[in-house]
Amino acid sequence: MMESRSPICNTCGEDIGVKSNGEFFVACHECSFPICKACLEYEFKEGRRICLRCGNPYDENVFDDVETKTTKTQSTIAINNTPQDSVIHARHISTVSTIDSELNDEYGNPIWKNRVESWKDKKSKKKKKDTKATKAEDNEAQIPPQQQMEDMSSNTEAGATNELSVVIPIPRTKITSYRIVIIMRLIILALFFNYRITHPVDSAYGLWLTSVICEIWFAVSWVLDQFPKWAPINRETYIDRLSARFEREGEISQLAAVDFFVSTVDPLKEPPLITANTVLSILALDYPVDKVSCYVSDDGAAMLSFESLVETADFARKWVPFCKKYSIEPRAPEFYFSLKIDYLRDKVQPSFVKERRAMKRDYEEFKIRMNALVAKAQKTPEEGWTMQDGTSWPGNNTRDHPGMIQVFLGYSGARDIEGNELPRLVYVSREKRPGYQHHKKAGAENALVRVSAVLTNAPFILNLDCDHYVNNSKAVREAMCFLMDPVVGQDVCFVQFPQRFDGIDKSDRYANRNIVFFDVNMRGLDGIQGPVYVGTGTVFRRQALYGYSPPSKPRMLPQSSSSSCCCLTKKKPTQDPSEIYKDAKREELDAAIFNLGDLDNYDEYERSMLISQTSFEKTFGLSAVFIESTLMENGGVPDSVNPSTLIKEAIHVISCGYEEKTEWGKEIGWIYGSITEDILTGFKMHCRGWRSIYCMPLRPAFKGSAPINLSDRLHQVLRWALGSVEIFLSRHCPLWYGCSGGRLKLLQRLAYINTIVYPFTSLPLVAYCTLPAICLLTGKFIIPTLSNLASMLFLGLFISIILTSVLELRWSGVSIEDLWRNEQFWVIGGVSAHLFAVFQGFLKMLAGLDTNFTVTSKTADDLEFGELYIVKWTTLLIPPTTLLIVNLVGVVAGFSDALNKGYEAWGPLFGKVFFAFWVILHLYPFLKGLMGRQNRTPTIVVLWSILLASVFSLVWVRINPFVSRTDTTSLSQNCLLIDC
């Protein structure tokens, strides 16, 4: 590969230079944003002392160094403000100008971003700068200093008003007090554990030791969860500025193209009508139609899915122009027509009412046709499904069928009823054959990555679940405010939107909305290296999925394969291109062979050599069209490709054997090895040095459906927890993976560690929830008699816990009810789904056994939240039910024992009952879900309850609390004196 050279300044395009010790100059040690000393001096002169990318303040040492130089070299700074050189050193002028078209190339990108030619003529540029500097000194003497300052301030204001997004830090009054309380809580925890460990309970040593171990684990879990929220931020986007820059009137739109991925498997479990609404909301986006392509992956090869897309494409010809004409929100017809609002508000067109009624009638007819297709598909014919032309459906055998691709809109020339072009809609079903590992959803997503690269190759990808529709038609524009920003977006691998849900009861009994996670944890991560990938509602940079490193990151030295974290090998001038792969294979994460920035340093011959090398084929697969598309940073289909062969090539890249002996699923694309492939995929990108961004528009970008009954919710949590256990037991465990690379920040690593170890909290949680009942039944306690100091420690601990929660609610805006629901379901899921996930994960990873927990359901009343009261029996319900009964029996036994012993027993009883009620209150939503509606509880639940109650009743009788304790020795002696 190429020799190591200085990184390029992201503002002026020059080398950032080196310090006196020979190291590259680094202004921001948080994100390593490349900016040279001259540009940094200009930033300080303008009063900007925070990083342009991450928003963190520059290091104080950098301040002192630059301020000293600024004082000594005022004339140099003045030179940089002269008109001749303003394009080079005035970022806010050169990068955000929307008027001077000469500053942009034909693609709308700023001139300074095109670094291809900058390295060739550095010497000539240096000479020109010297000449300009001489002229500028003469001009400076003629311009009054006051006028210079006015010009500088006007330039700064003009640049600031054209930024596409800004970082809004949390107010200091809120975040400072929050951090102080966190530190205080750490100190109190240390003192608390010092007391707990140095004051054992001899009479109940086993219970005391168990409780201390559990409490230490809870403290570690709190640290892992709390400190990634140390620096939360908010962001604000400016869509109007995005349009002003990339959609000038009378010119072709320069907005980047986006490929949408929608995944579905079984249309009988995932209703085609819901999938159709998702597709319709994508096709009706407020975005240029030639920039939108929707790919629907049918991993079940169902003819029902294919036919439903035929109907969807036909209805889209009416729905899309209607939405765009009247600015409909949301643009999923099922959810738009179900809104209980005044739809006449803000709609002044007289024809709106008439057209809306006609459109609603057309949609009802569309639903009838869709439901007819579903009813027809309930029973499969013995000879299999047959298409309209009489041929057999290729996917009759879902485990053995060829790859299928059908383009419904876009390429076929189909237009809407008004004659306008429609976005592309493509049906994809990858090939499946016996004996091949298909990797479920992750494999389907990787197939979509390849087929979309061949057909459209948009530089950005947005993936959605089939039940998540676009709720905000401008959502893609929100993401482009980050991804297309020349400063912020260069190192952004994906933009994550929060998940919002419909159809959940107001009290959110089982914390389905996950408000605490999406509004607290994710905003905290956005202030570090970015939020984690949560599986849907994410806009990816395609190059990041290919395993490339971010262009602005400095090169890493070659490392051993066990600890490498990035794909950055060095190229010697005399090295043959065929040896690139051999060198790159020494690094574990070297998926893309080299950094994208290095492509600028190859001539056409070397590039053609690289494209044809076996290194690319072993990485990306045997497709010349796809390999060439991976090198196109701005997307687009290669000019050298014959359009008539694209479909054939697309069929080739979704064949079941295409990924054999490649890096797919290992280093590029969606990563295999866990059913939660989203966490693993985002983790690999962050390890390579990319950052992500969290976007929270006022109107939620996407909405979906969530399981609202207890059993389905527990099974959802079980799947997530099982995926975390799989990652923990894999080579990608964040505890050690990529540690020596240094590109994953410490707090970001703590967040990822928390995502994989949280299921193991179930073990101490079950033990801790059992301790109150044992203490009540045995009369022992885990805490000794408290002294004044110990009482103060316990009181301080509880106060710090409350204050942390209150201050967290203050800066996040989350309600106390949401926090309490989250706390309750943390206990419910911890003692059920997380516990089963730990055992199932170890059985699966170590013994190869895959355990399934079946779910059976009963019907519910046809009410608004009827599904909430459905009771589905599953083995996941056993542990929480047992804990409830045990603690209820313990409370009864404790009060009975206190009544028997008298006044002195009521004091110790208070502490024991307090912990028992703590468990019962946290499990209360589970108890309500278990009972369902009146007379709706399954018989099996009643039987288990009676059995468990009987067992613990026998234990209670064995303890015999009502019988006074007698001296058995004296009793036996008295018996011996009796003469029988």
Side-chain angles (χ1 to χ4, degrees), residues 775-792:
C775 292
L776 287 167
L777 292 171
T778 60
K780 300 177 180 179
F781 200 35
I782 58 177
I783 299 176
T785 303
L786 297 179
S787 62
N788 292 334
L789 176 61
S791 301
M792 293 296 293

Side-chain angles (χ1 to χ4, degrees), residues 328-353:
I328 298 300
E329 294 286 1
R331 301 190 176 182
E334 180 69 23
F335 301 95
Y336 168 69
F337 289 121
S338 63
L339 290 177
K340 298 179 181 180
I341 60 173
D342 181 12
Y343 64 85
L344 294 178
R345 184 179 58 187
D346 300 330
K347 300 293 187 298
V348 296
Q349 297 90 335
S351 61
F352 172 69
V353 175

Side-chain angles (χ1 to χ4, degrees), residues 181 184-189 192 196 215 218 222 768 781-783 786 789-807 820 823 910-912 914-916 918 922:
V181 171
M184 289 177 56
R185 185 172 172 181
L186 266 182
I187 297 173
I188 294 174
L189 272 175
F192 171 79
R196 290 285 282 140
E215 289 163 1
F218 295 150
W222 173 77
Y768 210 75
F781 200 35
I782 58 177
I783 299 176
L786 297 179
L789 176 61
S791 301
M792 293 296 293
L793 285 177
F794 275 91
L795 183 61
L797 181 61
F798 281 112
I799 292 176
S800 65
I801 292 174
I802 295 173
L803 282 179
T804 305
S805 302
V806 169
L807 293 175
W820 173 238
E823 181 75 14
F910 174 77
K912 303 172 187 177
F914 173 80
F915 285 108
W918 180 90
H922 279 76

Side-chain angles (χ1 to χ4, degrees), residues 358-425:
M359 184 56 60
K360 188 174 183 180
R361 184 168 54 252
D362 291 338
Y363 178 65
E364 292 298 331
E365 295 175 356
F366 168 72
K367 289 173 64 176
I368 292 174
R369 294 193 298 270
M370 294 288 285
N371 292 332
L373 292 176
V374 175
K376 178 183 175 182
Q378 295 295 325
K379 186 177 181 180
T380 305
E382 296 181 359
E383 65 279 4
W385 296 107
T386 304
M387 295 187 290
Q388 292 183 354
D389 58 358
T391 58
S392 179
W393 171 248
N396 279 324
N397 187 345
T398 57
R399 298 183 179 180
D400 187 4
H401 64 83
M404 294 177 283
I405 297 177
Q406 177 65 48
V407 181
F408 290 107
L409 300 174
Y411 290 107
S412 60
R415 296 179 177 270
D416 61 29
I417 57 175
E418 296 182 358
N420 300 318
E421 184 182 356
L422 288 169
R424 301 175 183 85
L425 176 60

Side-chain angles (χ1 to χ4, degrees), residues 210 213-215 217-218 759-769 771:
T210 302
I213 294 174
C214 295
E215 289 163 1
W217 180 268
F218 295 150
F760 297 96
T761 306
S762 60
L763 300 175
L765 186 60
V766 170
Y768 210 75
C769 289
L771 285 176

Side-chain angles (χ1 to χ4, degrees), residues 250-371:
E251 299 180 7
I252 299 176
S253 173
Q254 299 298 329
L255 289 175
V258 182
D259 288 338
F260 286 77
F261 293 172
V262 179
S263 301
T264 181
V265 179
D266 188 350
L268 297 180
K269 294 181 180 179
E270 301 165 337
L273 185 62
I274 299 299
T275 305
N277 272 271
T278 300
V279 172
L280 289 170
S281 67
I282 294 173
L283 299 179
L285 274 173
D286 181 8
Y287 208 72
V289 292
D290 58 323
K291 308 289 185 178
V292 176
S293 301
C294 180
Y295 293 84
V296 180
S297 171
D298 177 21
D299 219 32
M303 187 174 176
L304 173 58
S305 299
F306 181 85
E307 291 182 333
S308 66
L309 273 188
V310 175
E311 294 289 346
T312 303
D314 184 63
F315 180 71
R317 297 184 177 96
K318 303 176 182 177
W319 175 251
V320 172
F322 172 75
C323 290
K324 294 187 176 182
K325 182 177 180 180
Y326 297 108
S327 301
I328 298 300
E329 294 286 1
R331 301 190 176 182
E334 180 69 23
F335 301 95
Y336 168 69
F337 289 121
S338 63
L339 290 177
K340 298 179 181 180
I341 60 173
D342 181 12
Y343 64 85
L344 294 178
R345 184 179 58 187
D346 300 330
K347 300 293 187 298
V348 296
Q349 297 90 335
S351 61
F352 172 69
V353 175
K354 181 179 179 180
E355 290 192 31
R356 186 185 185 277
R357 290 174 179 172
M359 184 56 60
K360 188 174 183 180
R361 184 168 54 252
D362 291 338
Y363 178 65
E364 292 298 331
E365 295 175 356
F366 168 72
K367 289 173 64 176
I368 292 174
R369 294 193 298 270
M370 294 288 285
N371 292 332

Side-chain angles (χ1 to χ4, degrees), residues 19 250 363 436 488 752 898:
K19 297 186 290 187
Y363 178 65
Y436 287 91
V488 177
Y752 274 110

